[in-house]
Amino acid sequence: MIRSPFIVRILSTSAIAAAAFAGSVPAAIAAEFPTRPITLVVPFAAGGPTDIVARSLGASMSKDLGQTIVVENRLGAGGTIAAGSVAKAAPDGYTLLIHHNGMATAPALYPDLAYKPLNDFEYIGQVADVPMTLLGSKNFPPNTTAELVAYVTKNGEKVNLANAGPGAVSQLCGALFEQATKTKLIAIPYQGTAPALNALLGSQVDLLCDQTTTTLPHIAAKSVKLYGVTTPARIKSLPDAPTLQEGGLKGFDMKVWHGVYAPKGTPKEVTARITRALQAALKDPEVIARMDKLGVEIVPVDKQTPAGLQTWLQSESDKWQPLLKSIAAQ
Ligand code: ASP
């Protein structure tokens, strides 16, 4: 069937308005998806680790979809403002969310969370996993994890730990560090770890735990002190860096994972098309090379699927929510 672009536009607009009302998009519209730019919402500041993954992914998905993906940073409350806004967006595939472990942890940290991560979204797929690094400012006295543990044990109430707010992985990593060292540090929240890292570089804060996505160049330039990596094994992008476990923090095990979501009710034809574009982007040699340089590991294809993300979110929710509740009760 040949349709003039004008008719398609009229049909799309009225059908989508009806869809927003009825909670679904007609099959004919879904089959033409996408006919206009798509917004990919990032819950943290521009220039941070989530933003960098989103922009690289979005640029490549745009090529596959034939429409621009516009990255929009919606900041605040450890990523929950962005996730809440996408949960309430029209379920038409034109508003998507990229988020990390915060989808699994937020319900334990925000008793009045305005959305249910496991119920209010359709799943597109997992994207990539990233290790974290625990860093100190160059003026901060300890040089190794052992020295750091001794220092915070003595001076904990004077030590500043930057993060991207409750629900951010930097905050989660900090909470695990406090739990492992039995200390309580001064948390300094930012709207993403891009501004938090700037504060660390300017020695306005003492400590920050953040993804290799943004920390590798500063570690190489020695403009920050690296204590260790948060994964149980050493990582390819920093082969000489000890793990925090090697530094004496028994059982310290944390990595960041990313997934892409659409509002609940987005038609299957649409989510399937977005999943196809996600999988194409994660095979794109440019994306692969960039991610590799940043220490970001693209997940296997079976995880780049709605079922792969759903299963993972469920297992991460089961793992972290009881633990976070118990940390909060201490
Ligand atoms: N790395 C941040 C976090 O702590 C998020 C970001 O700025 O991308 O969650």
Side-chain angles (χ1 to χ4, degrees), residues 108 322-330:
L323 186 77
L324 287 170
K325 284 182 185 151
S326 81
I327 294 180
Q330 275 164 23

Side-chain angles (χ1 to χ4, degrees), residues 28-35 38 65 92-94 269-271 273-274:
I29 297 304
E32 282 160 6
F33 177 88
T35 57
I38 296 168
L65 290 165
D92 55 14
Y94 290 97
E269 295 88 337
V270 170
T271 55
R273 179 69 191 90
I274 304 168

Side-chain angles (χ1 to χ4, degrees), residues 110-330:
Y110 294 84
D112 300 322
L113 198 63
Y115 58 93
K116 292 194 170 56
L118 286 160
N119 300 342
D120 295 350
F121 297 90
E122 303 293 344
Y123 302 91
I124 303 299
Q126 277 191 69
V127 180
D129 295 340
V130 199
M132 299 188 90
T133 48
L134 181 62
L135 308 176
S137 83
K138 45 180 199 313
N139 298 333
F140 191 52
N143 291 310
T144 62
T145 302
E147 285 179 24
L148 175 64
V149 173
Y151 189 89
V152 295
T153 305
K154 214 164 151 216
N155 307 294
E157 69 291 348
K158 285 190 248 146
V159 174
N160 292 319
L161 172 71
N163 65 41
V169 283
S170 43
Q171 190 261 341
L172 179 58
C173 181
L176 293 181
F177 178 75
E178 288 176 322
Q179 194 196 33
T181 54
K182 301 191 179 53
T183 55
K184 196 86 207 129
L185 312 183
I186 306 164
I188 312 281
Y190 292 83
Q191 293 196 316
T193 43
L197 186 55
N198 277 337
L200 188 79
L201 290 167
S203 295
Q204 287 136 25
V205 292
D206 302 316
L207 292 170
L208 171 67
C209 189
D210 202 16
Q211 287 109 290
T212 56
T213 328
T214 46
T215 64
L216 289 180
H218 302 289
I219 292 166
K222 297 203 177 355
S223 44
V224 290
K225 288 186 180 177
L226 169 65
Y227 297 114
V229 297
T230 60
T231 45
R234 290 191 178 204
I235 58 174
K236 203 175 90 196
S237 53
L238 286 170
D240 298 329
T243 65
L244 291 176
Q245 290 200 20
E246 286 174 59
L249 298 179
K250 295 270 160 298
F252 207 106
D253 179 4
M254 199 187 154
K255 75 171 179 192
V256 183
W257 53 271
H258 299 86
V260 177
Y261 306 81
K264 189 80 185 172
T266 307
K268 285 278 165 291
E269 295 88 337
V270 170
T271 55
R273 179 69 191 90
I274 304 168
T275 297
R276 256 184 19 241
L278 172 74
Q279 293 178 349
L282 296 176
K283 274 198 221 80
D284 179 342
E286 262 178 55
V287 174
I288 293 172
R290 179 144 166 75
M291 294 299 124
D292 196 49
K293 218 171 134 218
L294 302 173
V296 177
E297 248 177 69
I298 293 173
V299 296
V301 182
D302 63 324
K303 289 187 155 210
Q304 301 165 14
T305 59
L309 177 56
Q310 183 169 16
T311 312
W312 184 248
L313 178 63
Q314 181 71 61
S315 71
E316 285 283 285
S317 303
D318 295 344
K319 173 177 167 185
W320 289 105
Q321 289 179 22
L323 186 77
L324 287 170
K325 284 182 185 151
S326 81
I327 294 180
Q330 275 164 23

